[in-house]
mmCIF file of all heavy atoms in Angstrom:
data_model
loop_
_atom_site.group_PDB
_atom_site.id
_atom_site.type_symbol
_atom_site.label_atom_id
_atom_site.label_comp_id
_atom_site.label_asym_id
_atom_site.label_seq_id
_atom_site.Cartn_x
_atom_site.Cartn_y
_atom_site.Cartn_z
ATOM 1 N N GLN Z 173 0.344 10.661 14.639
ATOM 2 C CA GLN Z 173 1.501 11.512 14.350
ATOM 3 C C GLN Z 173 2.757 11.058 15.121
ATOM 4 O O GLN Z 173 3.834 10.971 14.527
ATOM 5 C CB GLN Z 173 1.198 12.986 14.615
ATOM 6 C CG GLN Z 173 2.366 13.857 14.156
ATOM 7 C CD GLN Z 173 2.018 15.327 14.098
ATOM 8 O OE1 GLN Z 173 0.863 15.691 13.902
ATOM 9 N NE2 GLN Z 173 3.025 16.173 14.273
ATOM 10 N N PRO Z 174 2.634 10.732 16.428
ATOM 11 C CA PRO Z 174 3.844 10.240 17.114
ATOM 12 C C PRO Z 174 4.410 8.983 16.459
ATOM 13 O O PRO Z 174 5.629 8.833 16.359
ATOM 14 C CB PRO Z 174 3.351 9.924 18.536
ATOM 15 C CG PRO Z 174 2.123 10.747 18.714
ATOM 16 C CD PRO Z 174 1.516 10.942 17.362
ATOM 17 N N VAL Z 175 3.534 8.097 15.959
ATOM 18 C CA VAL Z 175 4.035 6.879 15.301
ATOM 19 C C VAL Z 175 4.772 7.248 14.012
ATOM 20 O O VAL Z 175 5.872 6.755 13.744
ATOM 21 C CB VAL Z 175 2.882 5.879 15.015
ATOM 22 C CG1 VAL Z 175 3.301 4.808 14.011
ATOM 23 C CG2 VAL Z 175 2.412 5.232 16.319
ATOM 24 N N VAL Z 176 4.172 8.153 13.231
ATOM 25 C CA VAL Z 176 4.806 8.566 11.967
ATOM 26 C C VAL Z 176 6.183 9.176 12.272
ATOM 27 O O VAL Z 176 7.183 8.859 11.613
ATOM 28 C CB VAL Z 176 3.899 9.568 11.222
ATOM 29 C CG1 VAL Z 176 4.648 10.266 10.105
ATOM 30 C CG2 VAL Z 176 2.665 8.839 10.668
ATOM 31 N N GLU Z 177 6.271 10.013 13.292
ATOM 32 C CA GLU Z 177 7.553 10.667 13.605
ATOM 33 C C GLU Z 177 8.571 9.645 14.123
ATOM 34 O O GLU Z 177 9.751 9.718 13.808
ATOM 35 C CB GLU Z 177 7.333 11.813 14.594
ATOM 36 C CG GLU Z 177 6.582 12.963 13.896
ATOM 37 C CD GLU Z 177 6.260 14.139 14.799
ATOM 38 O OE1 GLU Z 177 6.510 14.052 16.015
ATOM 39 O OE2 GLU Z 177 5.744 15.151 14.267
ATOM 40 N N ARG Z 178 8.065 8.666 14.883
ATOM 41 C CA ARG Z 178 8.957 7.612 15.382
ATOM 42 C C ARG Z 178 9.515 6.806 14.214
ATOM 43 O O ARG Z 178 10.694 6.475 14.162
ATOM 44 C CB ARG Z 178 8.137 6.709 16.326
ATOM 45 C CG ARG Z 178 8.925 5.604 16.956
ATOM 46 C CD ARG Z 178 8.047 4.873 17.961
ATOM 47 N NE ARG Z 178 7.610 5.746 19.042
ATOM 48 C CZ ARG Z 178 6.538 5.527 19.794
ATOM 49 N NH1 ARG Z 178 5.782 4.454 19.582
ATOM 50 N NH2 ARG Z 178 6.223 6.328 20.768
ATOM 51 N N LEU Z 179 8.653 6.494 13.264
ATOM 52 C CA LEU Z 179 9.104 5.711 12.102
ATOM 53 C C LEU Z 179 10.084 6.521 11.257
ATOM 54 O O LEU Z 179 11.018 5.975 10.685
ATOM 55 C CB LEU Z 179 7.921 5.246 11.252
ATOM 56 C CG LEU Z 179 7.010 4.230 11.932
ATOM 57 C CD1 LEU Z 179 6.007 3.665 10.944
ATOM 58 C CD2 LEU Z 179 7.813 3.089 12.550
ATOM 59 N N TRP Z 180 9.857 7.820 11.169
ATOM 60 C CA TRP Z 180 10.796 8.664 10.409
ATOM 61 C C TRP Z 180 12.184 8.622 11.062
ATOM 62 O O TRP Z 180 13.201 8.541 10.383
ATOM 63 C CB TRP Z 180 10.252 10.094 10.313
ATOM 64 C CG TRP Z 180 11.148 11.051 9.601
ATOM 65 C CD1 TRP Z 180 11.633 12.235 10.071
ATOM 66 C CD2 TRP Z 180 11.668 10.923 8.261
ATOM 67 N NE1 TRP Z 180 12.415 12.842 9.119
ATOM 68 C CE2 TRP Z 180 12.460 12.058 8.003
ATOM 69 C CE3 TRP Z 180 11.556 9.939 7.278
ATOM 70 C CZ2 TRP Z 180 13.134 12.255 6.800
ATOM 71 C CZ3 TRP Z 180 12.225 10.126 6.070
ATOM 72 C CH2 TRP Z 180 13.000 11.275 5.841
ATOM 73 N N ARG Z 181 12.204 8.631 12.417
ATOM 74 C CA ARG Z 181 13.508 8.545 13.095
ATOM 75 C C ARG Z 181 14.171 7.194 12.831
ATOM 76 O O ARG Z 181 15.389 7.072 12.883
ATOM 77 C CB ARG Z 181 13.343 8.769 14.606
ATOM 78 C CG ARG Z 181 13.023 10.217 14.966
ATOM 79 C CD ARG Z 181 13.218 10.501 16.450
ATOM 80 N NE ARG Z 181 12.257 9.791 17.288
ATOM 81 C CZ ARG Z 181 11.020 10.221 17.547
ATOM 82 N NH1 ARG Z 181 10.602 11.358 17.031
ATOM 83 N NH2 ARG Z 181 10.210 9.521 18.319
ATOM 84 N N ALA Z 182 13.365 6.170 12.540
ATOM 85 C CA ALA Z 182 13.912 4.824 12.277
ATOM 86 C C ALA Z 182 14.230 4.621 10.794
ATOM 87 O O ALA Z 182 14.542 3.510 10.377
ATOM 88 C CB ALA Z 182 12.909 3.765 12.743
ATOM 89 N N THR Z 183 14.135 5.703 10.007
ATOM 90 C CA THR Z 183 14.341 5.589 8.559
ATOM 91 C C THR Z 183 15.722 6.097 8.161
ATOM 92 O O THR Z 183 16.047 7.263 8.418
ATOM 93 C CB THR Z 183 13.270 6.434 7.805
ATOM 94 O OG1 THR Z 183 11.973 5.977 8.187
ATOM 95 C CG2 THR Z 183 13.425 6.306 6.304
ATOM 96 N N ALA Z 184 16.516 5.239 7.531
ATOM 97 C CA ALA Z 184 17.823 5.694 7.027
ATOM 98 C C ALA Z 184 17.657 6.356 5.676
ATOM 99 O O ALA Z 184 18.393 7.258 5.329
ATOM 100 C CB ALA Z 184 18.790 4.515 6.919
ATOM 101 N N ASP Z 185 16.691 5.884 4.875
ATOM 102 C CA ASP Z 185 16.525 6.476 3.543
ATOM 103 C C ASP Z 185 15.054 6.747 3.203
ATOM 104 O O ASP Z 185 14.626 7.884 3.187
ATOM 105 C CB ASP Z 185 17.190 5.575 2.486
ATOM 106 C CG ASP Z 185 17.427 6.319 1.185
ATOM 107 O OD1 ASP Z 185 16.754 7.335 0.949
ATOM 108 O OD2 ASP Z 185 18.265 5.897 0.376
ATOM 109 N N ILE Z 186 14.263 5.683 2.970
ATOM 110 C CA ILE Z 186 12.892 5.931 2.478
ATOM 111 C C ILE Z 186 11.843 5.324 3.412
ATOM 112 O O ILE Z 186 11.970 4.180 3.863
ATOM 113 C CB ILE Z 186 12.733 5.379 1.031
ATOM 114 C CG1 ILE Z 186 13.513 6.301 0.069
ATOM 115 C CG2 ILE Z 186 11.259 5.317 0.620
ATOM 116 C CD1 ILE Z 186 13.407 5.961 -1.394
ATOM 117 N N LEU Z 187 10.820 6.139 3.680
ATOM 118 C CA LEU Z 187 9.656 5.695 4.462
ATOM 119 C C LEU Z 187 8.434 5.780 3.553
ATOM 120 O O LEU Z 187 8.226 6.790 2.884
ATOM 121 C CB LEU Z 187 9.467 6.628 5.673
ATOM 122 C CG LEU Z 187 8.123 6.580 6.410
ATOM 123 C CD1 LEU Z 187 7.893 5.216 7.083
ATOM 124 C CD2 LEU Z 187 8.064 7.678 7.497
ATOM 125 N N VAL Z 188 7.635 4.718 3.532
ATOM 126 C CA VAL Z 188 6.401 4.761 2.739
ATOM 127 C C VAL Z 188 5.215 4.368 3.615
ATOM 128 O O VAL Z 188 5.293 3.422 4.401
ATOM 129 C CB VAL Z 188 6.507 3.898 1.451
ATOM 130 C CG1 VAL Z 188 6.903 2.483 1.732
ATOM 131 C CG2 VAL Z 188 5.211 3.920 0.658
ATOM 132 N N ILE Z 189 4.153 5.159 3.480
ATOM 133 C CA ILE Z 189 2.930 4.924 4.257
ATOM 134 C C ILE Z 189 1.796 4.731 3.266
ATOM 135 O O ILE Z 189 1.618 5.544 2.341
ATOM 136 C CB ILE Z 189 2.634 6.101 5.195
ATOM 137 C CG1 ILE Z 189 3.845 6.350 6.106
ATOM 138 C CG2 ILE Z 189 1.388 5.841 6.026
ATOM 139 C CD1 ILE Z 189 3.671 7.534 7.052
ATOM 140 N N ILE Z 190 1.040 3.656 3.445
ATOM 141 C CA ILE Z 190 -0.031 3.320 2.506
ATOM 142 C C ILE Z 190 -1.322 3.164 3.296
ATOM 143 O O ILE Z 190 -1.321 2.614 4.400
ATOM 144 C CB ILE Z 190 0.317 2.000 1.772
ATOM 145 C CG1 ILE Z 190 1.659 2.170 1.057
ATOM 146 C CG2 ILE Z 190 -0.787 1.606 0.774
ATOM 147 C CD1 ILE Z 190 2.367 0.899 0.746
ATOM 148 N N GLU Z 191 -2.409 3.659 2.727
ATOM 149 C CA GLU Z 191 -3.718 3.568 3.371
ATOM 150 C C GLU Z 191 -4.770 3.171 2.352
ATOM 151 O O GLU Z 191 -4.543 3.296 1.134
ATOM 152 C CB GLU Z 191 -4.080 4.944 3.966
ATOM 153 C CG GLU Z 191 -3.377 5.249 5.284
ATOM 154 C CD GLU Z 191 -3.915 4.423 6.425
ATOM 155 O OE1 GLU Z 191 -5.051 4.677 6.895
ATOM 156 O OE2 GLU Z 191 -3.210 3.494 6.859
ATOM 157 N N PRO Z 192 -5.930 2.730 2.790
ATOM 158 C CA PRO Z 192 -7.011 2.481 1.837
ATOM 159 C C PRO Z 192 -7.303 3.772 1.053
ATOM 160 O O PRO Z 192 -7.220 4.868 1.612
ATOM 161 C CB PRO Z 192 -8.209 2.111 2.730
ATOM 162 C CG PRO Z 192 -7.603 1.682 4.025
ATOM 163 C CD PRO Z 192 -6.327 2.451 4.175
ATOM 164 N N GLY Z 193 -7.662 3.610 -0.216
ATOM 165 C CA GLY Z 193 -7.863 4.787 -1.072
ATOM 166 C C GLY Z 193 -9.239 5.409 -0.913
ATOM 167 O O GLY Z 193 -9.967 5.585 -1.889
ATOM 168 N N THR Z 194 -9.570 5.745 0.309
ATOM 169 C CA THR Z 194 -10.852 6.397 0.616
ATOM 170 C C THR Z 194 -10.562 7.848 1.002
ATOM 171 O O THR Z 194 -9.409 8.197 1.320
ATOM 172 C CB THR Z 194 -11.513 5.723 1.830
ATOM 173 O OG1 THR Z 194 -10.588 5.817 2.928
ATOM 174 C CG2 THR Z 194 -11.809 4.250 1.564
ATOM 175 N N PRO Z 195 -11.592 8.719 1.016
ATOM 176 C CA PRO Z 195 -11.335 10.092 1.463
ATOM 177 C C PRO Z 195 -10.678 10.124 2.853
ATOM 178 O O PRO Z 195 -9.746 10.901 3.082
ATOM 179 C CB PRO Z 195 -12.734 10.712 1.472
ATOM 180 C CG PRO Z 195 -13.466 9.963 0.389
ATOM 181 C CD PRO Z 195 -12.970 8.542 0.493
ATOM 182 N N ALA Z 196 -11.122 9.257 3.760
ATOM 183 C CA ALA Z 196 -10.539 9.263 5.117
ATOM 184 C C ALA Z 196 -9.093 8.775 5.082
ATOM 185 O O ALA Z 196 -8.225 9.309 5.788
ATOM 186 C CB ALA Z 196 -11.384 8.395 6.049
ATOM 187 N N GLY Z 197 -8.823 7.743 4.258
ATOM 188 C CA GLY Z 197 -7.447 7.236 4.125
ATOM 189 C C GLY Z 197 -6.536 8.321 3.578
ATOM 190 O O GLY Z 197 -5.403 8.509 4.046
ATOM 191 N N TRP Z 198 -7.017 9.039 2.562
ATOM 192 C CA TRP Z 198 -6.222 10.137 1.978
ATOM 193 C C TRP Z 198 -5.951 11.222 3.015
ATOM 194 O O TRP Z 198 -4.834 11.744 3.110
ATOM 195 C CB TRP Z 198 -6.973 10.700 0.762
ATOM 196 C CG TRP Z 198 -6.433 11.997 0.259
ATOM 197 C CD1 TRP Z 198 -5.206 12.212 -0.323
ATOM 198 C CD2 TRP Z 198 -7.088 13.276 0.305
ATOM 199 N NE1 TRP Z 198 -5.073 13.543 -0.655
ATOM 200 C CE2 TRP Z 198 -6.210 14.217 -0.282
ATOM 201 C CE3 TRP Z 198 -8.329 13.699 0.760
ATOM 202 C CZ2 TRP Z 198 -6.545 15.566 -0.405
ATOM 203 C CZ3 TRP Z 198 -8.662 15.038 0.639
ATOM 204 C CH2 TRP Z 198 -7.775 15.952 0.062
ATOM 205 N N GLN Z 199 -6.958 11.552 3.845
ATOM 206 C CA GLN Z 199 -6.744 12.578 4.882
ATOM 207 C C GLN Z 199 -5.635 12.159 5.847
ATOM 208 O O GLN Z 199 -4.831 12.977 6.277
ATOM 209 C CB GLN Z 199 -8.039 12.825 5.679
ATOM 210 C CG GLN Z 199 -9.155 13.486 4.889
ATOM 211 C CD GLN Z 199 -8.916 14.978 4.663
ATOM 212 O OE1 GLN Z 199 -7.882 15.514 5.043
ATOM 213 N NE2 GLN Z 199 -9.870 15.644 4.010
#
Side-chain angles (χ1 to χ4, degrees):
Q173 186 167 332
V175 164
V176 166
E177 290 178 354
R178 182 175 298 158
L179 293 189
W180 178 235
R181 288 195 293 276
T183 302
D185 198 339
I186 288 183
L187 164 65
V188 54
I189 304 178
I190 302 158
E191 282 288 287
T194 58
W198 167 67
Q199 292 285 3

